[in-house]
Amino acid sequence: MIDIDNVTKQFGEGAAAVQALRRVSLTIPEASFFTLLGPSGCGKTTLLRLIAGFELPTGGDIRLDGQSIGHLPPHHRPVNTVFQSYALFPHMTVARNIGFGLEMQGRKPSDVAATVNKMLTLVRMEEYAARRVDQLSGGQQQRVALARALAPHPKVLLLDEPLSALDLKLRKQMQGELKRLQAETGITFVFVTHDQGEALAMSDQIAVMSAGEVQQVGSPEAIYTRPRSAFVADFIGDTNIVPATLLRYEGGRAVIRFAQGPELCANAASDALAAGPVQVALRPETITLTDAADPAALMCGTVAESTYQGAATQLTVRLETGPEIRVEVTDPPSPGARVGIACDAAMLQVLAD
Amino acid sequence: MAAPGDIPQAGPALQRAQRDRARRRKRMRWGLLAPALVVIGIFGLAPLSIALVYSFLEPGTYGGVTWAFSPEAYVQFLFQRDIFDDTLGFNGAYLRIFGRSFGLALITMVGTLVLGFPVAYFIAARPEQQRNLWLFAVTLPFWTNLLIRTYSMMLIVRDEGFLNGALIWAGVINRPLSIIYTDGAVLLGLVYSYLPFMILPIYASLEKFDFRLLEAAHDLYASRVQMMRHVALPLTRPGIVAGCALVLIPALGAYITPELLGGGKKLMIGNMIALQFGSGRNWPFGSAAALILMSIVLIALLVSLRSGAKPEARHG
Ligand SMILES: Nc1ncnc2c1ncn2[C@@H]1O[C@H](COP(=O)(O)OP(=O)(O)OP(=O)(O)O)[C@@H](O)[C@H]1O
Ligand SMILES: [Mg+2]
């Protein structure tokens, strides 16, 4: 288990100072697949480098299984990294690359050889043991980098956008492979990506970051269906953010009303919002279209645009109150038609900010 | 459908065109090579051939050569002819000079490597905009003549020089150290003059070096020393080999530095060869010594290049 406790990281001094991380606190559970997700520059790599020991925190502490490791140099931490650029040693064979960590730990040559063979099997690279790494394809280098980092059996494996250099097909295949390796080895994986699809598909838990802060931590489902803020809702998947009025709380749920239609009991990201205008997240695929005069319709508008996408059709509906929202349906009405928007109240999420 | 092995033949016109083109290409290749070949011939092969021919002739009385074949120069390198009965006795004097020169040159090489590698590493680790400035600083001495730099070195190390002055002033010593005209002074001068030749090629390979590899090694439990030994050194080996060759070879033939800082008391190969063409009036022997030196260097270079070409030599 990794405890990131109030960690702050500042680069530079004075006017040129950059606050890369601001009071980040996270608990990464043992043997889980944990993903750091966020837009470019939000501090994902910085947090990973702090865990690896390439950088020291400006404030706060990092603990591994209760022991403080924030101040240790990288070679004294039971943590290994898969680098985005792979950083394989070009003067060594595949086997020696994989065995490097074990050799540096001073293991017996026979141990090293045995573990290297096991790792080669694990990443399905048995035939390539004697190859030079510059004679491998991108996907193969990726596997070697993985095997090299896994060989010393670290407590934590850090992966900084390891799939970003691969093409789509290989990427999908490696996603499955990574999941399998994590389950087989039982090592905690901390995975960095800015691809929300990848994060949803692979993670046990996701931490969404923005501008050096953690916005929300939770399971992929929780993050997707119960985003806390407009930022998270917008960053994960396609979403509509629609204004509504908060009337009161009832049994932990928020009672809201849209421009028209009945009062609804929606999920709320916070139970301490003041009654009045709020923002509600509404996923395009949870919306159903009805007649504009239907009493169940929460709002109504006209179809402005229709884009055929194969399995579904995406519509843009201009609401009578002004904003546009996106809707995904299988039997689209023609553009210009007046429609009512309906939605299961359980799919609505009142955002905290 | 064509039977297997039935390759369609080119028509006669096409064959003629192909032959013409091949001939033209060959002519062009030699035409382009010619200037380089002429330069190599005039400035490289011709002097060497002259030296080779002279080394097998007899010395003229007032310098120059007499046109009579004699292997005497090579014999003289190892043996001494008895004045009375003309028998040959072993003479190690010249071998000793060679040995001394090699020793000094090797120490110079190691010295420049030990000093030069960290400097090159330092420069390569600077931000890109700063590197050229540092490189300029390294090459700055080249703007001054070697002779002048060597005289300045004499000013620094002589008995009443800056170094002794400073040490006496600081109270470290009370009598001047006699540094000048010793092997130490020669070494100091050689290391000083050849240091840039070590720094520049090592810098060139460090500049291409991916410093992220060091991070990867550090992450994989390598200490700082192990990072250098297992990653930085093997990957910059071509630069190190080049630097060593660029220092060792000219250091072996160094003339000015041992002459001035060594006071010409103990000869190095360069001075010995110069002597043969000067007051020694033995041109054949000078030529022979130069050729022997060249052969030794050439063999050493081939061996080092061969070992440098195999980065994964000992690891299985
Ligand atoms: N060595 C450094 N010196 C100064 N600023 C830095 C340094 N490293 C990172 N930063 C800054 O810290 C912030 C976070 O950077 P970081 O590399 O952690 O982002 P990231 O989330 O990994 O982004 P990306 O998805 O583009 O890789 C950025 O504003 C970056 O400019
Ligand atoms: Mg990054």
Side-chain angles (χ1 to χ4, degrees):
Chain A
M1 192 179 78
I2 310 171
D3 244 320
I4 293 160
D5 184 9
N6 250 315
V7 164
T8 300
K9 178 67 190 180
Q10 178 179 329
F11 290 107
E13 290 289 326
V18 180
Q19 284 282 334
L21 295 175
R22 305 159 199 266
R23 305 189 148 272
V24 169
S25 288
L26 276 178
T27 300
I28 301 173
E30 181 103 40
S32 65
F33 199 114
F34 194 95
T35 298
L36 298 173
L37 175 67
S40 189
C42 71
K44 307 179 296 287
T45 299
T46 305
L47 183 53
L48 222 55
R49 291 174 61 81
L50 283 168
I51 301 175
F54 300 131
E55 311 274 359
L56 296 181
T58 314
D61 198 8
I62 299 171
R63 281 184 295 274
L64 180 61
D65 296 336
Q67 278 188 326
S68 171
I69 57 164
H71 59 283
L72 294 176
H75 64 296
H76 289 151
R77 302 189 187 198
V79 173
N80 288 144
T81 307
V82 177
F83 295 86
Q84 182 169 4
S85 57
Y86 309 146
L88 298 175
F89 304 123
H91 57 303
M92 297 179 193
T93 60
V94 166
R96 266 207 88 216
N97 261 282
I98 297 176
F100 187 84
L102 298 162
E103 245 178 71
M104 292 302 111
Q105 284 181 322
R107 304 279 188 85
K108 273 190 305 189
S110 58
D111 278 5
V112 174
T115 312
V116 166
N117 282 334
K118 221 171 70 192
M119 287 299 137
L120 283 168
T121 317
L122 192 67
V123 297
R124 305 189 177 135
M125 290 282 291
E126 296 96 329
E127 309 100 275
Y128 298 93
R131 281 267 190 114
R132 287 174 59 105
V133 293
D134 49 12
Q135 299 165 339
L136 300 176
S137 73
Q140 291 166 338
Q141 290 186 14
Q142 165 77 76
R143 283 158 200 273
V144 176
L146 260 170
R148 183 180 70 173
L150 283 171
H153 202 88
K155 287 196 173 143
V156 181
L157 187 74
L158 307 174
L159 305 104
D160 192 356
E161 308 206 22
L163 307 182
S164 60
L166 305 180
D167 62 49
L168 190 66
K169 187 150 174 269
L170 203 53
R171 210 176 156 125
K172 287 269 180 275
Q173 188 190 336
M174 282 306 292
Q175 287 181 7
E177 200 94 329
L178 279 178
K179 261 317 258 182
R180 174 181 69 87
L181 285 174
Q182 196 272 322
E184 266 176 44
T185 55
I187 292 172
T188 308
F189 277 34
V190 182
F191 181 85
V192 163
T193 181
H194 55 238
D195 179 337
Q196 45 101 7
E198 202 165 276
L200 290 175
M202 302 175 71
S203 322
D204 295 325
Q205 284 216 54
I206 299 175
V208 183
M209 296 178 64
S210 114
E213 288 176 347
V214 173
Q215 293 286 326
Q216 188 172 358
V217 185
S219 68
E221 201 198 345
I223 297 267
Y224 187 80
T225 58
R226 306 278 183 85
R228 204 185 64 84
S229 60
F231 174 84
V232 176
D234 205 36
F235 194 77
I236 309 265
D238 200 4
T239 200
N240 297 297
I241 294 171
V242 187
T245 312
L246 173 66
L247 301 171
R248 60 186 177 277
Y249 285 100
E250 219 167 68
R253 291 164 70 89
V255 181
I256 56 164
R257 237 192 107 136
F258 286 97
Q260 61 180 82
E263 288 184 2
L264 296 161
C265 250
N267 302 309
S270 159
D271 56 5
L273 294 172
V278 287
Q279 306 253 299
V280 177
L282 195 56
R283 297 280 180 199
E285 69 275 13
T286 62
I287 294 172
T288 50
L289 293 181
T290 68
D291 193 73
D294 186 339
L298 307 176
M299 43 203 133
C300 57
T302 47
V303 177
E305 216 177 281
S306 161
T307 316
Y308 178 66
Q309 288 183 330
T313 299
Q314 179 152 57
L315 299 178
T316 306
V317 177
R318 181 178 299 282
L319 297 180
E320 261 148 28
T321 48
E324 290 181 343
I325 67 170
R326 287 178 308 281
V327 182
E328 241 174 65
V329 290
T330 42
D331 51 341
S334 51
R338 196 151 176 281
V339 293
I341 305 282
C343 178
D344 180 0
M347 295 297 169
L348 294 172
Q349 167 85 353
V350 179
L351 301 172
D353 54 28
Chain B
M1 202 178 145
D6 184 12
I7 300 161
Q9 286 293 313
L14 184 56
Q15 278 183 7
R16 210 174 316 118
Q18 282 171 344
R19 225 174 310 122
D20 274 2
R21 186 170 295 181
R23 204 176 302 139
R24 218 174 313 132
R25 208 175 291 145
K26 196 164 165 187
R27 218 179 300 141
M28 189 149 93
R29 189 160 56 216
W30 283 108
L32 288 171
L33 274 176
L37 290 178
V38 169
V39 169
I40 292 174
I42 293 178
F43 296 106
L45 294 180
L48 264 184
S49 319
I50 294 172
L52 185 66
V53 171
Y54 274 27
S55 72
F56 284 106
L57 297 177
E58 280 177 6
T61 325
Y62 304 105
V65 286
T66 325
W67 284 86
F69 174 81
S70 151
E72 190 63 22
Y74 292 92
V75 176
Q76 196 186 347
F77 186 71
L78 288 177
F79 303 99
Q80 201 166 20
R81 210 171 276 285
D82 195 286
I83 317 175
F84 300 110
D85 55 11
D86 228 23
T87 52
L88 287 174
F90 181 73
N91 174 12
Y94 295 118
L95 271 187
R96 267 198 298 282
I97 292 176
F98 265 62
R100 253 175 51 77
S101 301
F102 268 97
L104 281 175
L106 278 172
I107 299 173
T108 303
M109 184 185 89
V110 172
T112 51
L113 179 60
V114 167
L115 290 175
F117 191 90
V119 174
Y121 189 94
F122 172 83
I123 299 175
R126 288 312 92 195
E128 208 159 338
Q129 321 85 273
Q130 286 181 25
R131 291 187 205 153
N132 279 338
L133 202 67
W134 287 104
L135 283 179
F136 177 70
V138 167
T139 47
L140 203 58
F142 288 134
W143 295 76
T144 317
N145 185 288
L146 175 62
L147 200 57
I148 294 170
R149 279 185 282 143
T150 310
Y151 273 116
S152 328
M153 188 62 97
M154 290 175 75
L155 285 181
I156 294 172
V157 299
R158 73 195 168 121
D159 291 0
E160 313 82 50
F162 295 128
L163 186 62
N164 277 314
L167 286 176
I168 291 173
W169 180 81
V172 181
I173 50 173
N174 46 29
R175 267 186 318 124
L177 298 170
S178 45
I179 301 169
I180 197 163
Y181 307 142
T182 62
D183 281 356
V186 175
L187 268 179
L188 197 67
L190 288 175
V191 168
Y192 163 70
S193 355
Y194 293 121
L195 191 56
F197 295 110
M198 185 60 88
I199 295 177
L200 293 177
I202 294 181
Y203 167 76
S205 38
L206 273 171
E207 198 198 15
K208 281 178 274 160
F209 177 69
D210 182 357
F211 281 84
R212 286 175 299 188
L213 294 177
L214 289 184
E215 245 175 27
H218 207 22
D219 188 56
L220 289 162
Y221 312 108
S223 63
R224 283 180 192 285
V225 175
Q226 286 172 318
M227 276 152 67
M228 287 295 139
R229 198 169 104 66
H230 294 290
V231 180
L233 282 180
L235 284 173
T236 48
R237 188 161 163 171
I240 294 173
V241 171
C244 287
L246 282 179
V247 169
L248 184 69
I249 296 168
L252 266 175
Y255 175 71
I256 291 178
T257 312
E259 185 76 13
L260 294 182
L261 286 170
K265 279 192 300 189
K266 290 181 181 170
L267 292 175
M268 273 183 81
I269 301 175
N271 313 89
M272 185 198 95
I273 293 173
L275 194 67
Q276 301 311 319
F277 288 94
S279 51
R281 288 182 194 165
N282 194 343
W283 288 25
F285 184 58
S287 305
L291 287 172
I292 291 169
L293 173 63
M294 204 186 76
S295 328
I296 296 173
V297 168
L298 217 58
I299 291 166
L301 202 62
L302 285 177
V303 170
S304 77
L305 278 184
R306 178 153 307 173
S307 71
K310 287 184 295 189
E312 185 86 345
R314 269 169 305 109
H315 305 297

